[in-house]
Amino acid sequence: MSVEEIPPFKGVYVYRTEGQKLLVTENLDRGFSVYGERLFRVMGTEFREWVPFRSKLAAAILCGLKEWGISRGKTVLYLGAASGTTLSHVSDIIGREGFAYAVEFAPRVLSQLIERVVRRRSNVVAVFADARMPERYAGLVDLVDFIYCDIAQPDQSRILVENAELFLKRGGEVMIAIKARSIDSVEEPEKVYRREIRTMEDSGLKVLETVNLAPYEEDHIMVRARYE
Ligand code: SAM
């Protein structure tokens, strides 16, 4: 068995054992599994399996993403945290020196998020709000290094841009998971992606890379961008 960091993704590791090769992060909340993921102990350090079929950020790494702006000590604004599956891994990666604001507007998943992640970790706070109205949480959220948007809404690129204009530091990066079918169920996915990317570029964001998330998610891409 061995654990090896994946060079551009500090805090993300490959765990190899008996023919298995899994993506893992170091567990900040020892002994606790957030969504049923397996825990592994190697030389006194505990790691959590990061399941790419449950998390588009993990899928993006396995699908060839080149790099990203998340690492130890970074501040993150996470739009669409749901019950905290991916957020918990982001929390592991940024570590106790980092901080994440988790925006979610659905009360049921928000209460799971609070139980499973926010109450148990000191580097995450939940923001019960609609990401379409960032000015409502402007008093709670500081400038951040990185914004991740996974809200599966037809106007999600515009929502990301409005949040980036308010909260993203100069030189900070954004990533967005674009699900073609959430935006337009009949149009060709490629056309939907191009339109969403144009919305980001029109706001001054420079797209750095796009990755198709198949086979983990069909008709989804991940886009990484930055204000230049
Ligand atoms: N990112 C999550 C993960 O990987 O663990 C999954 C997110 S799920 C695809 C989308 C989430 O975004 C849902 O929980 C939904 O309630 C939330 N959402 C959708 N529109 C939103 C909005 N305008 N403001 C805040 N949350 C929103």
Side-chain angles (χ1 to χ4, degrees), residues 15 26 28 38 50 62 96 104 110 120 123 134 138 143 166 171 176 186 191 220:
Y15 174 81
E26 186 177 334
L28 214 60
R38 288 174 288 178
W50 194 359
L62 296 179
R96 292 192 175 83
E104 176 54 60
L110 184 83
R120 308 182 57 93
N123 66 354
L143 287 181
L166 272 183
I176 180 169
V186 287
K191 275 195 185 160
H220 269 80

Side-chain angles (χ1 to χ4, degrees), residues 56 78 80-82 85-86 104-106 109 129-132 150-151 153:
K56 290 162 216 132
Y78 191 124
T85 300
T86 300
E104 176 54 60
F105 75 172
V109 286
D130 187 334
R132 284 195 185 88
D150 182 20
I151 54 177
Q153 292 284 350

